[in-house]
Every structure is written in C-alpha cells, then in structure tokens.
Amino acid sequence: MEQTETKLIHTGKEFNITPSVTPPIFQTSTYFAPDNADDYIKLANTTNSPWFYHRYGNPVHSQVIAILASLEGTESALLASSGMGAISTAVLAVVRQGDHVIVQRSHYAAANQLFHDLLPAFGIEVSIVEQSDNQSFENALRPNTRLIYLETPSNPILTLTDLEFVGQLGKKHGITTMCDNTFASPLNQRPHDYGIDIVVHSATKYLGGHSDLTAGAVCASHEWITKIWRRMLILGASLSSFDSWLLLKGLRTLSLRMNQINQNASELAVWLEQHPQVRNVIYCGLPSHPQYELAKKQMKGFSGMLCMEVTGETPEKQLENAQTVLNHVRIFANATSLGGVESLIVHPASMWGIKDFPDKQQQIGINNGTLRISVGIENIQDLIADLDQAFKAIN
C-alpha cells in the first residue's frame, strides 16, 4: 500500500485530463454539455461533479477531495470557500428546527457564534459541556439530540476531547458526531478512526500551509457528503478555482511540513517551559499537559500550536510584558491565523477584544499574559533565539 507521502503527490491524478505534470487551473464557471442527454443529466446530479458548473465541482477540486478523503480515512470529501463555510454548511445539513446540539465549551470563536447565536435563532437548542469530562457529554443527551460537535485540540488553550468516547456515544444513541480537526491536521490525528462521522477543517491552515488561500473541507461517508453538498449548492459556499489549485499545491508538501512543525514545536515547548519569563506552557506533547495521556492515545504528533503565559505581578504587568514580546520578535510574526510555514504569535485577549474583561478571559481559559504560537518550519535555533532576545526586552 502506498504511504502518505506518495499519496499526497499522486492521488487523484485521473482528474487531470491534460498532459501537464502540474494540473492547470480550470478557470471556468461552466462546461460544454456532452452530446448524450442522459450523460448531461448524470453530470448535473452527481455529487462533486467536476464537469458541469463550478458551484457543483471542479476538476482540481476532485483531486483535492481524493487526497483529503485518503488522509482522513473517509469515503469522500467536500471543499468550501472557508473553514466556517465548511463548518456551517455541514452543521446545517445535519440539524433542523426542534433539534438539540451538544457542543463543548472551548471552540474557535466563529464556531461559538454559530452555536450560540445563529442556531438558537432557528429554533435549535444548544447545550454547552466541559469537553475534558466525558460524563458531561452523556449527561447532556436528550431525546432530540441530533449532533455532538467537537474541536480537539481546541482553540486557543489546547484542551482535548476523548474522540473514542464521543464516537462510541454517538453510535450507541444514533447521534451524528462532527469534529473540527484543524489544529491537529490529519497527519497527527484522524477522528474518523475513533468513530466520528464528519470531520471538518479550515484548509486555510495546515492543509494549505502557506497563508495564501482561504478554504474549508468536510470529510465523511458518501451519504453524508452528498447531503452536505446539496446544502452547499443552496448556501453557495463554493471554493474558487485558484484557491483550489493553491490548496492542491500545498497538500503536496503536507507531510514534510508537519514533520518539521511537530519537531520544532516540541523543542520550543520544552525550552519555554524552562524560561524564567514564562509562567506556564500549554502543549499537547508536554508531560505537564493535564491530558497528556489522552494526547498520546489519539494523536500521532502534537502539531505546531502552543500557548505560553508570560510572567507579571499584575494583569496589567502581564499585558505589558506580553506586548513587549510581540513588539520585539523579529522572526515570529504578530498575525492572526495559523498553520503556515512561517511562525506566528498573537495575544488572544487583544485579538478578541477582551483584554479588559477578566470574566470573559476566564471563560476561554486565557489571561493578559497568554500568547498563542503557531510554530512554522524555520530553524528551531533561530526561533528560540528570537524569543530569547524578545524576553530580554522585558523590564
């Protein structure tokens, strides 16, 4: 059987009908109809049809879909115009008015808005549970529970959810389970292997890997992908031809990038944990992580995401010290997003406008000293030296 590195290069080549080694960008909104009317009807009703109309599919989309399904171990996949396009479309394909959804406390901010604001407005009940407590999921079950939605590791503080427990819980009660696998990537974690029905990604992040595109992905069975695809036709969250082509190019090097990122982040986390200006480090691969054993069980690698808390006698001093680090880094970029080849560092309390709201910070699990890091593929010694000189600027 071909290994991952080979699959990333060669899977889906049958959709490149040209003699070019690198697939071209199919920059067209529509395609000539075949002479046979029955063939045209088939194209118009085939999930992810690559030769009908762009909102339905695209030849490069089909190549990317084949790779993603192989990576996640699912029957099929689907592309969307953004991570939230994938998440919201998938969720809305599962639930309807009168249904009940269970979500965990720690989520990507936009996903929180979907569950806290949009779904209730459409008559869908949402219960919030503590994701590190398996029993909380079971306690939240209702007769009308239709979906359990997960994100593990979660953004930003890397809390884990027991995928096997939730997967079995969903199967036992006939409830659909869905997991955002963005922070891990399919090379580090495959939720479907633990019984999760639907896996979603912001492909903008690790899958693309170069901070040059915006895309989303859904991986699931043929049956679920067809349902979600039909919902996407209505919602119109189709991915552009150019971004699909960029995503295909990014996926080619995913294994190389993730291997380097995993190694860099692990070394950086260990170094940070010993630094006198750092009060706490949160990284799934550290034995100090409260769910380290679970991380080892369900993750092959621990990705490039970590959080550190800089020292400071007061919240105000912590904020000052965190801003000093941000203002003095030279290699790390103070920019939102994650998962690219370049290392990024952000101050979540400022990014989400809650630096002056300790109650909201406590709900998320951060404080004014928290910095979130997305480790890239640079030389690890350069990354360590960059943070070291930035720490030295703290008074």
Side-chain angles (χ1 to χ4, degrees), residues 184 187-189 262 283-284 295 299-303:
L187 295 191
N188 288 326
Q189 176 178 275
N262 286 343
Y283 181 64
C284 297
M299 300 181 75
K300 297 178 182 177
F302 305 110
S303 88

Side-chain angles (χ1 to χ4, degrees), residues 287-306:
S288 58
H289 191 288
Q291 297 172 288
Y292 178 59
E293 293 302 320
L294 177 60
K296 289 194 298 180
K297 173 187 172 184
Q298 64 189 30
M299 300 181 75
K300 297 178 182 177
F302 305 110
S303 88
M305 301 307 301
L306 62 90

Side-chain angles (χ1 to χ4, degrees), residues 8 10 21 30 51 57 64 96 98 106 136 163 170 175 199-200 207-208 214 229 237 239 243 247 252 260 269 314 320:
L8 287 169
H10 296 287
V21 173
T30 191
W51 309 112
V64 175
R96 65 178 68 180
S106 182
S136 68
L163 291 169
I175 298 168
V199 181
V200 293
L207 299 181
T214 304
W229 174 75
L239 181 63
D243 279 355
L247 179 55
R252 304 299 198 202
Q260 181 75 7
T314 65
E320 178 186 330

Side-chain angles (χ1 to χ4, degrees), residues 8 182-189 205-207 209 253-265 283 301-305 339-341 375-377:
L8 287 169
T182 300
F183 259 38
S185 91
L187 295 191
N188 288 326
Q189 176 178 275
K205 313 304 193 297
Y206 285 121
L207 299 181
T253 61
L254 177 63
S255 183
L256 295 172
R257 290 185 285 105
M258 290 310 303
N259 286 338
Q260 181 75 7
I261 286 169
N262 286 343
Q263 181 177 336
N264 278 355
Y283 181 64
F302 305 110
S303 88
M305 301 307 301
V341 294
V375 182
I377 65 171

